[in-house]
Amino acid sequence: MNTIAQLQVNLFCENVESCLSFYGQLGLPEVFRFPTTGPIEHAEVDVAGSRIGLTSAAAANRLADLGVTSGSSATTEVVLWSGNTDGLFDCAVSAGATVITGPMNSPDGRLRYAWVRDPDGHQVKIVQSR
């Protein structure tokens, strides 16, 4: 049987430094960076025991010919569960996010959520259980 040891989502970025700064301002600590000096090709932040990888699209294409682009369409989103949607939304906007949809309640009132785009255009959903 195969066992999955950890989950990581990678976001392909044009500007890894900008994305790293954004997620850092949301309170997600940096746990890995390559290379350790000079322009960053890959960095990782911790989010509740899992990781979000921020990978240079140019480096991914140069090293493995992945044919990736950054922030080109909303086919994927990062979902951040929080105890305070409004507060994290305000923090994200202050950190440079572009607003997609401001905080609102779900039709059944169970959730409060909002959507933003990080500095590289990745869609981020902020959710709170009510």
Side-chain angles (χ1 to χ4, degrees):
M1 172 171 36
N2 294 322
T3 302
I4 300 195
Q6 185 175 346
L7 169 69
Q8 177 170 324
V9 173
N10 288 336
L11 302 177
F12 295 103
C13 307
E14 290 301 317
N15 187 332
V16 175
E17 187 77 45
S18 176
C19 284
L20 183 59
S21 174
F22 173 77
Y23 288 101
Q25 289 179 63
L26 297 186
L28 306 182
E30 179 181 328
V31 294
F32 179 80
R33 175 188 295 230
F34 179 82
T36 55
T37 60
I40 305 169
E41 291 192 354
H42 181 80
E44 296 171 9
V45 296
D46 179 77
V47 55
S50 293
R51 292 185 179 194
I52 297 175
L54 306 168
T55 303
S56 162
N61 291 329
R62 183 183 76 246
L63 295 173
D65 196 24
L66 296 182
V68 297
T69 60
S70 68
S72 59
S73 66
T75 60
T76 304
E77 69 184 7
V78 172
V79 180
L80 301 176
W81 286 84
S82 170
N84 181 354
T85 291
D86 294 76
L88 189 55
F89 174 82
D90 291 343
C91 182
V93 171
S94 293
T98 302
V99 175
I100 299 173
T101 302
M104 59 196 252
N105 295 326
S106 63
D108 63 5
R110 291 181 317 109
L111 303 172
R112 184 154 178 83
Y113 40 66
W115 283 266
V116 298
R117 292 200 188 282
D118 73 13
D120 226 298
H122 303 107
Q123 186 165 304
V124 178
K125 181 179 184 181
I126 301 166
V127 185
Q128 170 186 358
S129 291
R130 308 234 53 209

